[in-house]
Amino acid sequence: MRDLSADHALLSLNTATVRKQGDLLAIVEACARHGIRAVSPWRDQVAAVGLERAVRAVKDAGLALSGYCRGGMFPADAAHAQEARDDNRRAVDEAAALGAPCLVLVVGGLPQFSRPGSAPSKDLGAAHAQVEDGIAALLEYARAANMPLAIEPLHPMYAADRACVNTLAHALDICDQLDPDRQGSLGVALDVYHVWWDPELSAGIRRCGRDRMLAYHVCDWLVPTKDLLLDRGMMGDGVIELRRIRCEVEALGFAGFVEVEIFSNDWWTRPMNEVIETCITRHRTIV
Ligand code: ZN
């Protein structure tokens, strides 16, 4: 297990963590000032400043990426299928331009939520099938662009609107189905917030192997949780056994960044410097 206590060389900041405090250029500047070496930006934050400026800012600051958020939202009705396909291809292109090591996929839930305007459906089985078909189709495009796809299983509370892949085992089943010879082009983004509760987590991590573990995200689970989406905790403020999970991930040989990803109505009200400094401290002492 790697020792994080001496510095924060392995810390990556998911830029949504401070999205309310500044635009991507301000976040990149703050990361550079705090000696953070990597970020994981969101598409809307990149779009807000323009892809070219974002690429230049990241490069000028000497930052690496730990991922790019996000592609996915595959379930759609027939009228929105083309939109889903084109949007995901653009996400791959942007990830490649930014030099991301992978494109994170939040796969989508029922079509009316994944692709607004789609005809309402309660057919979760059909959504599962569309997710698998969507990843299969995108995988060809992503392989040509040399951009690995990282399926992020989301907590089951998001099954309807964000992702109907809710366990690590389900994500790995899709990987095995679509990439049986493990070409390195398909894997998972493991976010402790989504998987910490799963009694099969340790077995799933071992099943990943190093080649399918493409990204590792940390935050904490607060009790009580006041908002389904925007009440993630700072590492150490909740109940997730962070060090044990990281130990299991690193036992695979995972050598990537530890990405801090916190969507929080609480932390979004605090100054950017305070949030970043707290992330650094907790990274060294808790993660
Ligand atoms: Zn995540």
Side-chain angles (χ1 to χ4, degrees):
M1 190 174 179
R2 300 177 295 182
D3 177 12
L4 305 184
S5 66
D7 56 45
H8 53 287
L10 293 171
L11 167 65
S12 172
L13 185 72
N14 185 295
T15 57
T17 305
V18 284
R19 68 154 60 244
K20 304 285 190 196
Q21 289 93 328
D23 68 9
L24 185 64
L25 303 179
I27 295 168
V28 164
E29 186 275 324
C31 285
R33 188 157 32 84
H34 284 90
I36 288 176
R37 295 173 54 218
V39 291
S40 182
W42 281 68
R43 291 186 73 194
D44 65 306
Q45 292 175 298
V46 168
V49 301
L51 179 60
E52 277 181 36
R53 281 176 82 198
V55 168
R56 201 164 56 240
V58 166
K59 199 173 162 189
D60 288 351
L63 292 175
L65 262 65
S66 58
Y68 186 51
C69 300
R70 56 179 163 62
M73 297 295 169
F74 295 105
D77 66 9
H80 295 82
Q82 180 80 23
E83 170 196 311
R85 196 193 74 154
D86 293 349
D87 182 45
N88 275 299
R89 290 185 170 195
R90 279 195 301 275
V92 167
D93 295 342
E94 292 165 19
L98 285 157
C102 61
L103 174 66
V104 173
L105 299 181
V106 170
V107 298
L110 297 170
Q112 64 269 36
F113 305 114
S114 295
R115 294 288 162 185
S118 292
S121 166
K122 296 181 181 178
D123 190 342
L124 193 60
H128 288 149
Q130 283 199 308
V131 164
E132 193 160 324
D133 291 348
I135 295 174
L138 186 62
L139 189 56
E140 276 185 50
Y141 187 85
R143 278 180 175 150
N146 208 17
M147 179 53 58
L149 301 178
I151 303 169
E152 183 163 357
L154 258 54
H155 190 283
M157 65 183 170
Y158 304 116
D161 57 348
R162 292 179 189 275
C164 59
V165 171
N166 305 107
T167 62
L168 181 53
H170 187 179
L172 289 172
D173 287 347
I174 295 172
C175 290
D176 288 348
Q177 179 74 25
L178 301 182
D179 178 44
D181 48 0
R182 303 178 84 105
Q183 295 182 27
S185 50
L186 186 60
V188 301
L190 191 75
D191 186 325
V192 296
Y193 194 72
H194 299 301
V195 300
W196 71 276
W197 56 272
D198 185 350
E200 305 301 323
L201 177 60
S202 296
I205 290 172
R206 287 193 297 275
R207 185 180 157 198
C208 274
R210 183 178 179 169
D211 56 330
R212 292 237 200 269
M213 185 66 72
L214 300 183
Y216 181 56
H217 302 172
V218 296
C219 64
D220 215 332
W221 184 277
L222 299 178
V223 181
T225 289
K226 292 177 280 190
D227 186 286
L228 291 187
L229 185 64
L230 307 179
D231 195 28
R232 291 186 179 213
M234 178 65 65
M235 299 79 72
D237 289 349
V239 298
I240 300 179
E241 210 178 356
L242 286 163
R243 204 154 276 179
R244 179 185 63 79
I245 298 174
R246 184 168 67 85
C247 182
E248 292 179 3
V249 167
E250 293 184 1
L252 305 174
F254 177 78
F257 289 99
V258 176
E259 179 179 321
V260 176
E261 182 185 41
I262 301 172
F263 319 136
S264 163
N265 287 325
D266 175 9
W267 288 97
W268 280 335
T269 65
R270 308 198 195 188
M272 190 182 317
N273 283 342
E274 180 191 338
V275 178
I276 290 177
E277 283 159 16
T278 307
C279 288
I280 290 171
T281 303
R282 300 294 178 89
H283 173 84
R284 291 176 61 171
T285 56
I286 302 287
V287 172

